């Protein structure tokens, strides 16, 4: 496969940002941190962003080893990951961005926890199966130190955006309202559906070479 170009990095970054969807997590963040002070919310946003970054970096750099351990073919993983991302995109298009990765029961459980930064906010709400699948697939096209550095930089940038979004979650939620967040989520969902189709088509071409002819 060709080395990562800037356009590849940008495409992965946009896909990852759409899947992580920190704006869609704003209402849940506000709910599970309702009893926290401003200082505690700031700490929660920092820890959440850090956990998201670490989880995605581990997925990107160790994902191939995980696939090898379970004997999973990359093309099969592309199809499976694409289907999962498509399910998430459909939920986002319906205005329910977290239904495919985080249940109401988990949200209620999170409200009762003292520390919600890692679970459920970082995992599985933000760094869930969809985002981990994306970085594992992207890492397979990243050869050489520069391409891997670009991929890691994109992941870190997503984590930084998560931090700043959660840091202003309370005023952002009040300003955008539920309708504004749903509109942004639907736009990202449409983009995500196109990315899912691309993943599935690439995987099918690898599994069924006759489709490419």
């Amino acid at each position: 496969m060709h080395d990562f170009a800037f356009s590849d990095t940008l495409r992965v970054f946009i896909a990852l940002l759409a899947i992580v969807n920190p704006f869609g997590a704003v209402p849940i963040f506000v709910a599970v941190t309702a009893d926290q002070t401003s200082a505690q919310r700031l700490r929660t946003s920092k820890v959440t962003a850090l956990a998201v970054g670490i989880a995605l970096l581990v997925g990107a750099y160790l994902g191939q080893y995980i696939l090898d351990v379970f004997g999973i073919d990359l093309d099969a993983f592309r199809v499976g990951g694409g289907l999962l991302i498509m399910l998430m995109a459909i939920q986002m298009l319906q205005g329910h961005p977290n239904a495919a990765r985080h249940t109401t029961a988990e949200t209620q459980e999170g409200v009762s926890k003292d520390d919600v930064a890692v679970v459920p906010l970082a995992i599985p709400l933000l760094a869930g199966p969809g985002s981990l699948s994306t970085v594992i697939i992207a890492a397979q096209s990243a050869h050489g130190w520069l391409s891997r550095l670009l991929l890691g930089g994109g992941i870190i940038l997503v984590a930084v955006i998560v931090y700043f979004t959660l840091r202003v979650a309370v005023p952002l939620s009040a300003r955008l309202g539920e309708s504004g967040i749903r509109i942004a989520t639907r736009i990202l969902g449409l983009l995500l559906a196109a990315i899912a189709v691309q993943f599935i088509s690439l995987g099918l071409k690898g599994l069924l070479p006759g489709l490419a002819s």
Side-chain angles (χ1 to χ4, degrees):
M1 294 184 180
H2 61 81
D3 285 348
F4 251 30
F6 177 76
S7 59
D8 297 312
T9 305
L10 182 60
R11 183 166 59 250
V12 171
F13 168 74
I14 293 174
L16 193 56
L17 186 61
I19 296 171
V20 172
N21 189 18
F23 298 104
V26 164
I28 293 179
F29 177 85
V30 173
V32 300
T33 60
D35 294 333
Q36 294 186 1
T37 65
S38 297
Q40 289 172 330
R41 271 184 168 149
L42 179 60
R43 176 188 174 278
T44 298
S45 63
K46 288 180 180 178
V47 175
T48 299
L50 181 62
V52 167
I54 291 174
L56 295 180
L57 286 171
V58 168
Y61 295 124
L62 298 181
Q64 181 59 58
Y65 299 103
I66 296 173
L67 295 182
D68 291 341
V69 167
F70 290 97
I72 300 173
D73 182 78
L74 177 60
D75 290 316
F77 190 77
R78 280 195 178 114
V79 174
L83 290 173
L84 175 60
I85 293 170
M86 179 60 76
L87 289 175
M88 294 177 61
I90 292 172
Q91 294 288 346
M92 291 171 71
L93 287 169
Q94 293 175 341
H96 306 290
N98 302 307
R101 54 182 177 175
H102 192 268
T103 65
T104 302
E106 287 173 325
T107 301
Q108 293 174 345
E109 181 182 354
V111 171
S112 64
K113 287 185 176 181
D114 293 329
D115 190 356
V116 297
V118 177
V119 179
L121 288 176
I123 303 169
L125 181 59
L126 294 167
S131 55
L132 289 171
S133 298
T134 300
V135 295
I136 290 174
I137 293 171
Q140 307 315 306
S141 299
H143 303 290
W145 68 269
L146 180 58
S147 57
R148 292 183 176 275
L149 184 63
L150 287 172
L151 177 59
I155 291 173
I156 292 173
L157 183 56
V158 168
V160 170
I161 293 175
V162 167
Y163 165 67
F164 282 108
T165 302
L166 297 184
R167 182 176 179 178
V168 297
V170 174
L172 184 63
S173 178
R175 181 175 293 274
L176 291 179
E178 186 174 348
S179 297
I181 292 175
R182 286 181 184 273
I183 290 172
T185 296
R186 286 189 172 100
I187 293 173
L188 291 174
L190 181 60
L191 176 64
L192 203 57
I195 294 169
V197 170
Q198 186 179 40
F199 279 179
I200 293 171
S201 64
L202 286 173
L204 288 176
K205 286 179 181 178
L207 293 172
L208 305 170
L211 293 177
S213 59

